[in-house]
Amino acid sequence: MTTASPALNPSRFLSEFYISFWIPTAVLTTALVIKLPSIVRLWRDPLLRAVGGLLLLGCAVFVFCSPSTITAVNRWAGVPNISAPWCYSLLTAVGASCLLLIIAWRNGLSDRSAPTRRAIRWVVAGYAGVIAALWLLFALADVPVERPRDLDTYYATAPFMGEEILLYLLAHCLACVITSRLIWNWVRTEGLDAWLRWGLKLLGVGYLLNLIFDAAKLVAVGARWSGADLDWLSTDLAPPVAALAAILIAVGFILPHAGQYLHDRWRIRLAHRELRPLYRLTRTVHGDGVPFVLRATPELRLTRRETFIRDVLLPLTRRIDTDLDRRSYDAALALGHPPEQARALASAVSILDAVDTRERDIEPADHGPDTARLLQEIGAVSRVLRRPEEIEAVRTRVTRVAQRPVRGAGNCATSPHRPAAEREAKPTSIPRTPVGRHPSRPPESPAGNPPSDAAAPGRPGPS
């Protein structure tokens, strides 16, 4: 006796791709557990209620449609095939929940317009009527032989039962067609969040697989009506397709929320890490850092670090040289940095200079920089502190530009183009340190101009 090859035996071939109904049940339950706290906390939110109802019904479908559960329910109720209208009702309710969810999700929570309310009433009334018809047809049908796996094809030609099978398949198919169309139209909408777009794509693929499930069932039932035998479409192809569709739909619901949650956590941790260089610098000023708290959330740790940095910078801004800040900004632009990075480099140079000024106990300036701007750009300043070579390049250029003679200005020390503080200060040579303040004028007079203490016309020079 020869055995047919798997290519000629679809039932045997598809049995190798069997997916246990408990796998999609576990995935759907996971999605429900993730959403359950929000559903309980915001119970009045119709969108969350629709999501919870859909996930709960999805779990119930795969629990009660499992062959072992079907057999147990039939024996418990004492009525052969009583699981059939129950499973069909759950599938129909899932279809209705899909439509209600898409209506609430698509139109928004604040939409209480007449078309939206009318659509919700039509969905609820229509599918409630289908569920009632399913139980009525089962009561009229004669199905004495229990068929936990192939009831759809076995009773496809039975009076009333065949109509019941066709009714639930058409109701489920209609819901999947409408839901799939709305989802794919929504995917093409501009301005969607990336996580939401990928979640919608997974939902769209899941509902397309549900259409394949309905098509396989309808073809198998139609073949029975015509006298052919394509039962493998219903018993071997449709169940794994339905399981895969449920997994994709569950992941599609999880992804936008879980993805956004993980993205926010990563962004917070990255911001906390980016502030480390500026935090270390401000600790040298304050002496102590932020106390460690074991159970602090990432958001709290970030807030405490930002608050510490701003609390230290606020009194330090009185020692910032605004002229040095301006010249550092011009130097950074001249080195080819974009305006945003040039602003951060200038602030970093000014803060380092202010730290050194504080260590040398120099009298603070009367007018400081724009404090609000400086406190808002602590992230950018901390990032450039990771690149000391760029800061050193800006400092070098500031010093080089300051040492150039001013053309047509006469005596450089008394030139009106220089700030009054620089004209009054005696030129000194300040050593260069990583956090040192650079003088705003050169240590020696430019070539070609007499020094400030040289003899002026009409005055006796030094003997």
Side-chain angles (χ1 to χ4, degrees), residues 53-373:
L54 177 60
L55 294 175
L56 183 61
L57 289 171
C59 293
V61 165
F62 284 96
V63 169
F64 286 101
C65 290
S66 174
S68 58
T69 308
I70 290 174
T71 302
V73 170
N74 291 337
R75 291 178 180 175
W76 175 79
V79 179
N81 297 312
I82 190 65
S83 289
W86 174 243
C87 293
Y88 296 162
S89 298
L90 289 175
L91 282 170
T92 305
V94 166
S97 297
C98 293
L99 292 176
L100 293 175
L101 173 62
I102 294 301
I103 291 172
W105 204 352
R106 177 74 173 181
N107 297 338
L109 302 180
S110 60
D111 188 2
R112 295 293 186 270
S113 60
T116 300
R117 294 197 304 269
R118 190 182 309 115
I120 292 175
R121 285 196 300 267
W122 273 105
V123 170
V124 173
Y127 278 82
V130 170
I131 293 174
L134 291 174
W135 286 94
L136 177 61
L137 290 171
F138 180 78
L140 297 174
D142 183 19
V143 285
V145 180
E146 183 176 301
R147 309 295 297 188
R149 285 182 53 85
D150 61 348
L151 184 140
D152 291 350
T153 51
Y154 186 84
Y155 287 111
T157 57
F160 300 108
M161 196 62 194
E163 287 78 2
E164 178 178 359
I165 295 169
L166 181 62
L167 179 61
Y168 100 84
L169 287 175
L170 290 178
H172 186 259
C173 184
L174 177 63
C176 290
V177 168
I178 297 175
T179 305
S180 179
R181 181 180 176 182
L182 291 175
I183 288 175
W184 287 110
N185 288 340
W186 194 2
V187 168
R188 291 189 288 269
T189 303
E190 297 293 335
L192 289 181
D193 176 75
W195 295 107
L196 176 59
R197 190 181 299 277
W198 277 106
L200 289 173
K201 288 181 178 179
L202 290 176
L203 288 175
V205 174
Y207 282 106
L208 288 178
L209 290 176
N210 269 329
L211 290 176
I212 295 176
F213 165 83
D214 293 328
K217 289 278 188 178
L218 288 171
V219 170
V221 170
R224 277 284 185 160
W225 291 347
S226 62
D229 184 1
L230 294 176
D231 291 0
W232 61 271
L233 289 172
S234 177
T235 57
D236 298 307
L237 175 63
V241 169
L244 182 58
I247 293 173
L248 291 177
I249 291 173
V251 175
F253 280 118
I254 295 173
L255 187 62
H257 305 281
Q260 190 61 47
Y261 174 83
L262 295 176
H263 176 74
D264 291 342
R265 286 295 178 271
W266 170 254
R267 180 178 53 80
I268 290 171
R269 292 185 182 277
L270 183 62
H272 186 270
R273 181 177 177 274
E274 284 181 344
L275 290 175
R276 185 183 301 170
L278 186 56
Y279 172 68
R280 289 178 174 176
L281 177 63
T282 51
R283 283 188 64 180
T284 63
V285 177
H286 187 269
D288 296 326
V290 178
F292 176 75
V293 179
L294 181 61
R295 296 185 178 181
T297 63
E299 293 89 345
L300 180 59
R301 286 198 294 267
L302 176 61
T303 302
R304 296 180 68 185
R305 177 167 286 190
E306 290 175 341
T307 303
F308 175 83
I309 292 173
R310 291 190 174 102
D311 288 345
V312 175
L313 286 181
L314 189 59
L316 195 64
T317 54
R318 297 183 61 247
R319 297 181 178 271
I320 288 181
D321 188 343
T322 55
D323 183 63
L324 175 63
D325 182 75
R326 175 185 56 78
R327 289 184 287 118
S328 299
Y329 179 71
D330 295 338
L333 289 177
L335 290 172
H337 295 286
E340 295 80 6
Q341 189 174 1
R343 181 70 270 159
L345 284 167
S347 298
V349 172
S350 302
I351 291 173
L352 290 172
D353 177 78
V355 171
D356 184 63
T357 298
R358 176 184 176 278
E359 292 176 354
R360 291 188 280 114
D361 198 22
I362 297 178
E363 186 67 21
D366 295 334
H367 301 286
D370 185 358
T371 305
R373 174 188 56 77

Side-chain angles (χ1 to χ4, degrees), residues 19-38:
I19 300 176
S20 173
F21 277 15
W22 297 110
I23 295 177
T25 302
V27 178
L28 289 167
T29 303
T30 302
L32 180 61
V33 170
I34 292 175
K35 296 298 299 177
L36 190 59
S38 299

